[in-house]
Each structure stands twice: as C-alpha cells, then as structure tokens.
Amino acid sequence: MSLVTITTIILFSWVAFIIAWERISPYRKGLPFFRDGFWVDLVWYTIIQSYFLKILIFDYIIAPVQHHFDWSGLQVFRNWTITEQLLFFVVTHDLYIYLFHRLQHASKFLWRTHEAHHSGKEIDFLAGSRSHIVEIIINQTIEFAPIVILSPNPEIIVPIKALLDAMFGMFIHANVNVKLGKLKYFLNSPELHLWHHANYREVFHANFSTKFAMWDYLFGTVFDPGKKPGDSDDNWGLYYEYPKDYFLQHAFSVKRFDEKKLLRFSWFSWYYNLRPSLVNRIKSMWYKRKTPVVDMYPDAPKTEPAEDVEEKLISYNN
C-alpha cells in the first residue's frame, strides 16, 4: 500500500471522526450540517480549487524552479532522519504562517486575499478550506518548495505534511466544544481559533496561530476571554456584506461591488440563481415523491373522507 493511499485513508477517517464529534459535542449548538456556504466550500474550494492549484503549484511553479537552478550545493538535510525533517518543516512553516497571517490582518492589500476565509458566519470543519486563490498559491509554494528542493525524501515528507495540514485545519475550525487544559499554551484548538473568526475588534489582531498556539503566547497576540463569542450570526464572520458565490468572492477582492444591486441585470440574475435553483429542483424532486395510497378494498363503495382523516392518510403514507 502506497503512502498516498495510507494518508488518504487517515484523512477520510479523520473527516468522519470530526463530523461525529461536531454532532456529539458542538461548540455552537444547532449549527446545521448543510450550513450556509457548505456546497461552495466543498465543491469549489475543497475539490475544484485544490485540484487545479495542486497542479499549478507543483508542476508550473516548483518544478521549473527546481530544474532551472542548481541546488546540489544545498545538502543540509542529507543526513537528517524523516522525523527530523518533518519536525523542521512543520515548525518553521507554522512560524511563517503565523507571521504572514498577522501581516494579512495588518495590510489592506493582503487583507483582500484573506477576507474570504473570514466571510463565513457558521464555522465548522470545512470552513477552513475557504481561502483565496492568491493566498493558497503564496502559502503552499513557500510551504512545499523547500521540501521538494532541499529534502532528500520529498516523496515522503510532502504527503505527510499535507495530511497534518488538512487534519489541523479541520480541527481548529471544527464546531467542537473541547478544552486542552495546559496543552492549549502549545497546541492550537477551536477554543482559541474559533474566536479568531468572531466579529469582534479584540480578535482582529489576535489568535493567528495554526498548529502551535505558542506563537500567539510568545508574541503577545493571544485572546482567550474564557467564554464563547455568541450564537448570533452578527457575532461571526465579517462586519460587512460579502458575496456568497465563489467567483464573485474572488472578484470582490479586486473590485468592491454590491452583490444585490447586480441582480437587476438579467444575465447576472440568471447566473446568480442558477446553482440555488438546481439545488432546490433536486430537493423538490427528492422530497415531493410520495408513496401512493393502496386501496385495500377496490370494490367497496367510495365515500369522501373527512378532511382530518385524509390528512392522516397522506401523512401515514409519506
């Protein structure tokens, strides 16, 4: 069995575990599984965007850099074990992510590449996948290029590192009520990171860590009030209106516009309502199927049933 197969099995097992955990012990009670933006995050960000960006980053950015420059003099990791290499790349990249994440919140320009990640009002394990294309290209190129170029074992380090990224990303965004005790000073968790997605001034420049919460404690950017942000949508996400469509979310980062005002254009209204109408049509086809009432006595005289009896028959046979 290949390493990629093993990591894939672990990843899907982790997804199943997180989903069950969210149902059993939710951080925000009553949060629906198919919450607002679920299909955009799953189909466009998790599946389609991830697939094409993987090809772009590894085949058209990292590979040319690797082949057009001589890296033979850099043999830093030649005598390192797999574990030592993995720890080095995990820790150093996590520090980079903390610093870059902090810069994104401090820069108006870089914020445009990050605001999509904060646009969700209902945060769950899948919400972490919502990231702007430019943000992913920058972060994953800086993450994996050193591994591919410098490590003598990139075919081992890359899939394991990617697995850890995915697992931690789902965990810190998961709608699970968990407390790590003193371990929270070292490892990140929903206890801290869900506050980062709250709509409060205090957390706009706080809780930037991804895997290791120690960065926030070391650099004084931790915000841990010991309570939850609240259950209202106003307590979460952005304080301003943000597009719900995948392509419009990216367009919004270049040019601000009012999504609702664009609906006056027939072509936009058609596009904007295309996906919801398809989803609703499928739902209506599924839920409106009714099991026919079987007439057990076809030869008996017909009488009109009372209204309440008819309701019971329909309900019983649905």
Side-chain angles (χ1 to χ4, degrees), residues 39-57:
W39 294 110
V40 172
D41 291 345
L42 176 63
V43 176
W44 283 106
Y45 283 101
T46 303
I47 299 175
I48 299 177
Q49 178 174 284
S50 296
Y51 175 78
F52 284 103
L53 288 188
K54 175 182 176 295
I55 297 173
L56 173 66
I57 292 168

Side-chain angles (χ1 to χ4, degrees), residues 94-250:
D94 201 62
L95 176 58
Y96 154 76
I97 284 293
Y98 167 84
L99 295 173
F100 185 69
H101 189 184
R102 188 171 177 177
L103 184 61
Q104 285 178 300
H105 280 255
S107 166
K108 289 183 179 180
F109 174 75
L110 290 176
W111 173 249
R112 295 287 187 101
T113 70
H114 185 59
E115 61 184 342
H117 187 70
H118 284 266
S119 62
K121 296 287 187 180
E122 298 174 326
I123 312 302
D124 61 8
F125 77 102
L126 196 60
S129 65
R130 185 182 295 190
S131 293
H132 194 282
I133 284 180
V134 173
E135 181 179 32
I136 295 296
I137 292 175
I138 294 173
N139 285 335
Q140 290 195 2
T141 300
I142 292 176
E143 174 182 10
F144 291 111
I147 299 175
V148 174
I149 294 171
L150 302 176
S151 172
N153 313 102
E155 73 284 354
I156 298 177
I157 304 298
V158 168
I160 296 177
K161 177 71 167 60
L163 173 65
L164 292 175
D165 291 346
M167 291 177 68
F168 254 97
M170 285 187 278
F171 173 61
I172 65 175
H173 292 95
N175 182 39
V176 295
N177 192 26
V178 58
K179 295 184 180 298
L180 297 184
K182 292 185 178 180
L183 195 60
K184 73 176 184 179
Y185 298 108
F186 180 68
L187 288 179
N188 200 12
S189 71
E191 185 180 4
L192 288 180
H193 195 73
L194 288 180
W195 259 108
H196 182 69
H197 283 264
N199 184 22
Y200 291 88
R201 289 176 179 267
E202 297 88 339
V203 291
F204 188 79
H205 295 287
N207 298 5
F208 297 113
S209 297
T210 300
K211 295 180 180 69
F212 301 111
M214 63 181 181
W215 306 128
D216 279 308
Y217 285 99
L218 284 173
F219 295 110
T221 54
V222 68
F223 181 79
D224 185 13
K227 61 180 181 180
K228 298 179 180 180
D231 290 328
S232 170
D233 282 350
D234 292 335
N235 301 129
W236 298 87
L238 302 171
Y239 66 88
Y240 51 89
E241 291 293 324
Y242 193 78
K244 296 181 180 296
D245 177 77
Y246 171 82
F247 293 102
L248 295 181
Q249 288 171 358
H250 284 81

